[in-house]
mmCIF file of all heavy atoms in Angstrom:
data_model
loop_
_atom_site.group_PDB
_atom_site.id
_atom_site.type_symbol
_atom_site.label_atom_id
_atom_site.label_comp_id
_atom_site.label_asym_id
_atom_site.label_seq_id
_atom_site.Cartn_x
_atom_site.Cartn_y
_atom_site.Cartn_z
ATOM 1 N N ALA U 115 -29.375 9.777 21.898
ATOM 2 C CA ALA U 115 -29.954 8.484 22.261
ATOM 3 C C ALA U 115 -29.424 7.990 23.599
ATOM 4 O O ALA U 115 -30.159 7.357 24.375
ATOM 5 C CB ALA U 115 -29.659 7.453 21.161
ATOM 6 N N SER U 116 -28.152 8.261 23.891
ATOM 7 C CA SER U 116 -27.545 7.781 25.138
ATOM 8 C C SER U 116 -27.635 8.812 26.255
ATOM 9 O O SER U 116 -27.046 8.624 27.323
ATOM 10 C CB SER U 116 -26.082 7.404 24.901
ATOM 11 O OG SER U 116 -25.343 8.519 24.441
ATOM 12 N N MET U 117 -28.362 9.895 26.007
ATOM 13 C CA MET U 117 -28.617 10.925 27.020
ATOM 14 C C MET U 117 -27.331 11.497 27.599
ATOM 15 O O MET U 117 -27.140 11.585 28.810
ATOM 16 C CB MET U 117 -29.519 10.375 28.129
ATOM 17 C CG MET U 117 -30.895 9.940 27.650
ATOM 18 S SD MET U 117 -31.954 9.281 28.957
ATOM 19 C CE MET U 117 -31.094 7.735 29.339
ATOM 20 N N GLU U 118 -26.408 11.873 26.697
ATOM 21 C CA GLU U 118 -25.172 12.506 27.127
ATOM 22 C C GLU U 118 -25.476 13.857 27.798
ATOM 23 O O GLU U 118 -26.548 14.430 27.644
ATOM 24 C CB GLU U 118 -24.240 12.730 25.929
ATOM 25 C CG GLU U 118 -23.569 11.492 25.395
ATOM 26 C CD GLU U 118 -22.332 11.083 26.197
ATOM 27 O OE1 GLU U 118 -22.081 11.694 27.254
ATOM 28 O OE2 GLU U 118 -21.638 10.152 25.745
ATOM 29 N N GLU U 119 -24.495 14.375 28.531
ATOM 30 C CA GLU U 119 -24.646 15.653 29.218
ATOM 31 C C GLU U 119 -24.839 16.791 28.211
ATOM 32 O O GLU U 119 -24.336 16.724 27.085
ATOM 33 C CB GLU U 119 -23.412 15.933 30.076
ATOM 34 C CG GLU U 119 -23.218 14.969 31.233
ATOM 35 C CD GLU U 119 -24.317 15.100 32.277
ATOM 36 O OE1 GLU U 119 -24.841 16.227 32.451
ATOM 37 O OE2 GLU U 119 -24.663 14.082 32.899
ATOM 38 N N PRO U 120 -25.565 17.855 28.623
ATOM 39 C CA PRO U 120 -25.807 18.982 27.713
ATOM 40 C C PRO U 120 -24.538 19.598 27.143
ATOM 41 O O PRO U 120 -24.540 20.063 26.006
ATOM 42 C CB PRO U 120 -26.549 19.990 28.603
ATOM 43 C CG PRO U 120 -27.220 19.159 29.640
ATOM 44 C CD PRO U 120 -26.289 18.012 29.904
ATOM 45 N N LEU U 121 -23.434 19.591 27.912
ATOM 46 C CA LEU U 121 -22.201 20.194 27.420
ATOM 47 C C LEU U 121 -21.676 19.477 26.186
ATOM 48 O O LEU U 121 -21.194 20.120 25.239
ATOM 49 C CB LEU U 121 -21.133 20.185 28.518
ATOM 50 C CG LEU U 121 -19.783 20.813 28.142
ATOM 51 C CD1 LEU U 121 -19.965 22.268 27.720
ATOM 52 C CD2 LEU U 121 -18.805 20.703 29.299
ATOM 53 N N ILE U 122 -21.763 18.159 26.167
ATOM 54 C CA ILE U 122 -21.309 17.389 25.005
ATOM 55 C C ILE U 122 -22.204 17.687 23.804
ATOM 56 O O ILE U 122 -21.712 17.884 22.678
ATOM 57 C CB ILE U 122 -21.287 15.884 25.330
ATOM 58 C CG1 ILE U 122 -20.168 15.610 26.343
ATOM 59 C CG2 ILE U 122 -21.091 15.036 24.068
ATOM 60 C CD1 ILE U 122 -20.102 14.185 26.831
ATOM 61 N N MET U 123 -23.502 17.746 24.030
ATOM 62 C CA MET U 123 -24.431 18.078 22.955
ATOM 63 C C MET U 123 -24.156 19.486 22.420
ATOM 64 O O MET U 123 -24.203 19.725 21.208
ATOM 65 C CB MET U 123 -25.867 17.977 23.459
ATOM 66 C CG MET U 123 -26.256 16.614 24.018
ATOM 67 S SD MET U 123 -26.223 15.319 22.764
ATOM 68 C CE MET U 123 -27.559 15.852 21.703
ATOM 69 N N ALA U 124 -23.863 20.420 23.332
ATOM 70 C CA ALA U 124 -23.569 21.798 22.936
ATOM 71 C C ALA U 124 -22.337 21.858 22.051
ATOM 72 O O ALA U 124 -22.326 22.549 21.024
ATOM 73 C CB ALA U 124 -23.366 22.669 24.182
ATOM 74 N N ASN U 125 -21.295 21.132 22.435
ATOM 75 C CA ASN U 125 -20.057 21.154 21.658
ATOM 76 C C ASN U 125 -20.253 20.563 20.261
ATOM 77 O O ASN U 125 -19.682 21.065 19.282
ATOM 78 C CB ASN U 125 -18.963 20.398 22.398
ATOM 79 C CG ASN U 125 -18.481 21.141 23.637
ATOM 80 O OD1 ASN U 125 -18.624 22.362 23.731
ATOM 81 N ND2 ASN U 125 -17.930 20.421 24.592
ATOM 82 N N PHE U 126 -21.070 19.508 20.162
ATOM 83 C CA PHE U 126 -21.357 18.932 18.842
ATOM 84 C C PHE U 126 -22.125 19.931 17.981
ATOM 85 O O PHE U 126 -21.819 20.127 16.804
ATOM 86 C CB PHE U 126 -22.148 17.635 18.969
ATOM 87 C CG PHE U 126 -21.319 16.452 19.393
ATOM 88 C CD1 PHE U 126 -21.900 15.381 20.057
ATOM 89 C CD2 PHE U 126 -19.966 16.393 19.130
ATOM 90 C CE1 PHE U 126 -21.143 14.289 20.455
ATOM 91 C CE2 PHE U 126 -19.196 15.311 19.518
ATOM 92 C CZ PHE U 126 -19.788 14.251 20.183
ATOM 93 N N ALA U 127 -23.144 20.569 18.566
ATOM 94 C CA ALA U 127 -23.940 21.546 17.810
ATOM 95 C C ALA U 127 -23.065 22.705 17.347
ATOM 96 O O ALA U 127 -23.198 23.185 16.211
ATOM 97 C CB ALA U 127 -25.091 22.065 18.675
ATOM 98 N N LEU U 128 -22.143 23.147 18.207
ATOM 99 C CA LEU U 128 -21.257 24.249 17.838
ATOM 100 C C LEU U 128 -20.335 23.860 16.681
ATOM 101 O O LEU U 128 -20.133 24.637 15.742
ATOM 102 C CB LEU U 128 -20.430 24.672 19.049
ATOM 103 C CG LEU U 128 -19.442 25.829 18.834
ATOM 104 C CD1 LEU U 128 -20.178 27.088 18.366
ATOM 105 C CD2 LEU U 128 -18.660 26.119 20.112
ATOM 106 N N LYS U 129 -19.806 22.650 16.727
ATOM 107 C CA LYS U 129 -18.897 22.219 15.658
ATOM 108 C C LYS U 129 -19.644 22.023 14.334
ATOM 109 O O LYS U 129 -19.079 22.280 13.263
ATOM 110 C CB LYS U 129 -18.160 20.953 16.082
ATOM 111 C CG LYS U 129 -17.132 21.223 17.175
ATOM 112 C CD LYS U 129 -16.350 19.993 17.578
ATOM 113 C CE LYS U 129 -15.290 20.369 18.616
ATOM 114 N NZ LYS U 129 -14.448 19.227 19.015
ATOM 115 N N ILE U 130 -20.898 21.596 14.409
ATOM 116 C CA ILE U 130 -21.707 21.517 13.187
ATOM 117 C C ILE U 130 -21.903 22.926 12.607
ATOM 118 O O ILE U 130 -21.821 23.137 11.391
ATOM 119 C CB ILE U 130 -23.061 20.838 13.466
ATOM 120 C CG1 ILE U 130 -22.851 19.364 13.851
ATOM 121 C CG2 ILE U 130 -23.973 20.928 12.236
ATOM 122 C CD1 ILE U 130 -24.099 18.675 14.366
ATOM 123 N N ALA U 131 -22.147 23.897 13.498
ATOM 124 C CA ALA U 131 -22.285 25.287 13.051
ATOM 125 C C ALA U 131 -21.001 25.770 12.388
ATOM 126 O O ALA U 131 -21.039 26.460 11.357
ATOM 127 C CB ALA U 131 -22.637 26.184 14.243
ATOM 128 N N TRP U 132 -19.848 25.419 12.959
ATOM 129 C CA TRP U 132 -18.569 25.806 12.348
ATOM 130 C C TRP U 132 -18.432 25.247 10.929
ATOM 131 O O TRP U 132 -17.973 25.933 10.024
ATOM 132 C CB TRP U 132 -17.412 25.288 13.191
ATOM 133 C CG TRP U 132 -17.243 25.953 14.517
ATOM 134 C CD1 TRP U 132 -17.850 27.101 14.958
ATOM 135 C CD2 TRP U 132 -16.406 25.514 15.593
ATOM 136 N NE1 TRP U 132 -17.442 27.393 16.235
ATOM 137 C CE2 TRP U 132 -16.555 26.438 16.650
ATOM 138 C CE3 TRP U 132 -15.549 24.422 15.761
ATOM 139 C CZ2 TRP U 132 -15.868 26.297 17.849
ATOM 140 C CZ3 TRP U 132 -14.869 24.276 16.959
ATOM 141 C CH2 TRP U 132 -15.029 25.217 17.995
ATOM 142 N N LEU U 133 -18.836 23.998 10.773
ATOM 143 C CA LEU U 133 -18.726 23.372 9.452
ATOM 144 C C LEU U 133 -19.646 24.047 8.442
ATOM 145 O O LEU U 133 -19.269 24.234 7.278
ATOM 146 C CB LEU U 133 -19.034 21.874 9.562
ATOM 147 C CG LEU U 133 -17.969 21.060 10.308
ATOM 148 C CD1 LEU U 133 -18.507 19.676 10.681
ATOM 149 C CD2 LEU U 133 -16.702 20.928 9.461
ATOM 150 N N TYR U 134 -20.835 24.433 8.880
ATOM 151 C CA TYR U 134 -21.719 25.181 7.977
ATOM 152 C C TYR U 134 -21.133 26.565 7.680
ATOM 153 O O TYR U 134 -21.356 27.114 6.592
ATOM 154 C CB TYR U 134 -23.117 25.307 8.570
ATOM 155 C CG TYR U 134 -23.974 24.087 8.296
ATOM 156 C CD1 TYR U 134 -24.481 23.311 9.337
ATOM 157 C CD2 TYR U 134 -24.278 23.711 6.991
ATOM 158 C CE1 TYR U 134 -25.254 22.183 9.083
ATOM 159 C CE2 TYR U 134 -25.050 22.595 6.718
ATOM 160 C CZ TYR U 134 -25.535 21.840 7.772
ATOM 161 O OH TYR U 134 -26.296 20.725 7.503
ATOM 162 N N ARG U 135 -20.370 27.121 8.620
ATOM 163 C CA ARG U 135 -19.687 28.394 8.368
ATOM 164 C C ARG U 135 -18.674 28.233 7.242
ATOM 165 O O ARG U 135 -18.521 29.120 6.399
ATOM 166 C CB ARG U 135 -18.998 28.898 9.638
ATOM 167 C CG ARG U 135 -18.441 30.323 9.538
ATOM 168 C CD ARG U 135 -17.844 30.764 10.868
ATOM 169 N NE ARG U 135 -18.823 30.649 11.935
ATOM 170 C CZ ARG U 135 -18.512 30.694 13.235
ATOM 171 N NH1 ARG U 135 -17.251 30.850 13.616
ATOM 172 N NH2 ARG U 135 -19.464 30.584 14.141
ATOM 173 N N LEU U 136 -17.976 27.101 7.233
ATOM 174 C CA LEU U 136 -17.028 26.828 6.158
ATOM 175 C C LEU U 136 -17.733 26.762 4.805
ATOM 176 O O LEU U 136 -17.167 27.132 3.771
ATOM 177 C CB LEU U 136 -16.286 25.515 6.421
ATOM 178 C CG LEU U 136 -15.325 25.480 7.617
ATOM 179 C CD1 LEU U 136 -14.730 24.085 7.782
ATOM 180 C CD2 LEU U 136 -14.217 26.513 7.465
ATOM 181 N N LYS U 137 -18.985 26.297 4.813
ATOM 182 C CA LYS U 137 -19.778 26.226 3.583
ATOM 183 C C LYS U 137 -20.462 27.556 3.264
ATOM 184 O O LYS U 137 -21.119 27.677 2.238
ATOM 185 C CB LYS U 137 -20.849 25.124 3.713
ATOM 186 C CG LYS U 137 -20.308 23.717 3.607
ATOM 187 C CD LYS U 137 -21.416 22.692 3.861
ATOM 188 C CE LYS U 137 -22.554 22.778 2.867
ATOM 189 N NZ LYS U 137 -22.169 22.349 1.501
ATOM 190 N N GLN U 138 -20.346 28.525 4.187
ATOM 191 C CA GLN U 138 -20.993 29.829 4.053
ATOM 192 C C GLN U 138 -22.511 29.703 3.993
ATOM 193 O O GLN U 138 -23.187 30.468 3.295
ATOM 194 C CB GLN U 138 -20.450 30.585 2.839
ATOM 195 C CG GLN U 138 -18.953 30.852 2.920
ATOM 196 C CD GLN U 138 -18.421 31.656 1.742
ATOM 197 O OE1 GLN U 138 -19.069 31.772 0.700
ATOM 198 N NE2 GLN U 138 -17.247 32.230 1.901
ATOM 199 N N ASP U 139 -23.031 28.709 4.730
ATOM 200 C CA ASP U 139 -24.477 28.510 4.845
ATOM 201 C C ASP U 139 -24.929 29.170 6.148
ATOM 202 O O ASP U 139 -24.940 28.552 7.212
ATOM 203 C CB ASP U 139 -24.804 27.011 4.855
ATOM 204 C CG ASP U 139 -26.297 26.736 4.755
ATOM 205 O OD1 ASP U 139 -27.088 27.557 5.264
ATOM 206 O OD2 ASP U 139 -26.673 25.699 4.176
ATOM 207 N N LYS U 140 -25.273 30.453 6.067
ATOM 208 C CA LYS U 140 -25.563 31.242 7.267
ATOM 209 C C LYS U 140 -26.822 30.777 7.989
ATOM 210 O O LYS U 140 -26.902 30.824 9.221
ATOM 211 C CB LYS U 140 -25.679 32.722 6.894
ATOM 212 C CG LYS U 140 -24.364 33.320 6.418
ATOM 213 C CD LYS U 140 -24.510 34.807 6.135
ATOM 214 C CE LYS U 140 -23.167 35.400 5.717
ATOM 215 N NZ LYS U 140 -23.271 36.865 5.443
ATOM 216 N N GLU U 141 -27.808 30.305 7.227
ATOM 217 C CA GLU U 141 -29.068 29.886 7.845
ATOM 218 C C GLU U 141 -28.869 28.659 8.739
ATOM 219 O O GLU U 141 -29.303 28.637 9.894
ATOM 220 C CB GLU U 141 -30.107 29.582 6.765
ATOM 221 C CG GLU U 141 -31.469 29.195 7.332
ATOM 222 C CD GLU U 141 -32.507 28.969 6.248
ATOM 223 O OE1 GLU U 141 -32.222 29.272 5.075
ATOM 224 O OE2 GLU U 141 -33.597 28.465 6.581
ATOM 225 N N LEU U 142 -28.199 27.638 8.212
ATOM 226 C CA LEU U 142 -27.976 26.431 9.008
ATOM 227 C C LEU U 142 -26.920 26.663 10.087
ATOM 228 O O LEU U 142 -26.999 26.063 11.170
ATOM 229 C CB LEU U 142 -27.584 25.265 8.106
ATOM 230 C CG LEU U 142 -28.742 24.673 7.314
ATOM 231 C CD1 LEU U 142 -28.260 23.638 6.309
ATOM 232 C CD2 LEU U 142 -29.780 24.048 8.249
ATOM 233 N N GLU U 143 -25.960 27.532 9.820
ATOM 234 C CA GLU U 143 -25.007 27.883 10.867
ATOM 235 C C GLU U 143 -25.747 28.486 12.060
ATOM 236 O O GLU U 143 -25.518 28.101 13.215
ATOM 237 C CB GLU U 143 -23.971 28.890 10.355
ATOM 238 C CG GLU U 143 -22.996 29.333 11.437
ATOM 239 C CD GLU U 143 -22.149 30.539 11.043
ATOM 240 O OE1 GLU U 143 -22.117 30.886 9.851
ATOM 241 O OE2 GLU U 143 -21.532 31.132 11.946
ATOM 242 N N ARG U 144 -26.640 29.420 11.783
ATOM 243 C CA ARG U 144 -27.390 30.068 12.862
ATOM 244 C C ARG U 144 -28.264 29.061 13.605
ATOM 245 O O ARG U 144 -28.386 29.117 14.837
ATOM 246 C CB ARG U 144 -28.254 31.200 12.304
ATOM 247 C CG ARG U 144 -28.925 32.035 13.388
ATOM 248 C CD ARG U 144 -29.788 33.134 12.798
ATOM 249 N NE ARG U 144 -30.300 34.006 13.846
ATOM 250 C CZ ARG U 144 -31.340 33.704 14.628
ATOM 251 N NH1 ARG U 144 -31.986 32.558 14.453
ATOM 252 N NH2 ARG U 144 -31.731 34.550 15.567
ATOM 253 N N HIS U 145 -28.867 28.130 12.873
ATOM 254 C CA HIS U 145 -29.712 27.106 13.500
ATOM 255 C C HIS U 145 -28.926 26.324 14.556
ATOM 256 O O HIS U 145 -29.403 26.123 15.681
ATOM 257 C CB HIS U 145 -30.259 26.152 12.433
ATOM 258 C CG HIS U 145 -30.967 24.968 12.992
ATOM 259 N ND1 HIS U 145 -32.278 25.012 13.443
ATOM 260 C CD2 HIS U 145 -30.551 23.681 13.210
ATOM 261 C CE1 HIS U 145 -32.636 23.823 13.897
ATOM 262 N NE2 HIS U 145 -31.609 22.997 13.766
ATOM 263 N N TYR U 146 -27.723 25.901 14.198
ATOM 264 C CA TYR U 146 -26.945 25.098 15.145
ATOM 265 C C TYR U 146 -26.274 25.956 16.216
ATOM 266 O O TYR U 146 -26.012 25.466 17.327
ATOM 267 C CB TYR U 146 -25.930 24.236 14.385
ATOM 268 C CG TYR U 146 -26.602 23.016 13.796
ATOM 269 C CD1 TYR U 146 -27.025 23.015 12.466
ATOM 270 C CD2 TYR U 146 -26.874 21.901 14.576
ATOM 271 C CE1 TYR U 146 -27.687 21.910 11.933
ATOM 272 C CE2 TYR U 146 -27.525 20.804 14.049
ATOM 273 C CZ TYR U 146 -27.934 20.811 12.737
ATOM 274 O OH TYR U 146 -28.597 19.716 12.217
#
Side-chain angles (χ1 to χ4, degrees):
S116 60
M117 298 180 291
E118 286 279 7
E119 294 294 329
L121 181 58
I122 291 176
M123 302 296 294
N125 289 337
F126 283 154
L128 180 59
K129 289 182 177 182
I130 294 170
W132 291 348
L133 290 166
Y134 276 119
R135 189 177 304 165
L136 293 177
K137 285 175 61 69
Q138 300 182 343
D139 189 328
K140 294 183 178 181
E141 182 177 351
L142 285 173
E143 177 192 346
R144 187 181 186 281
H145 172 80
Y146 281 97

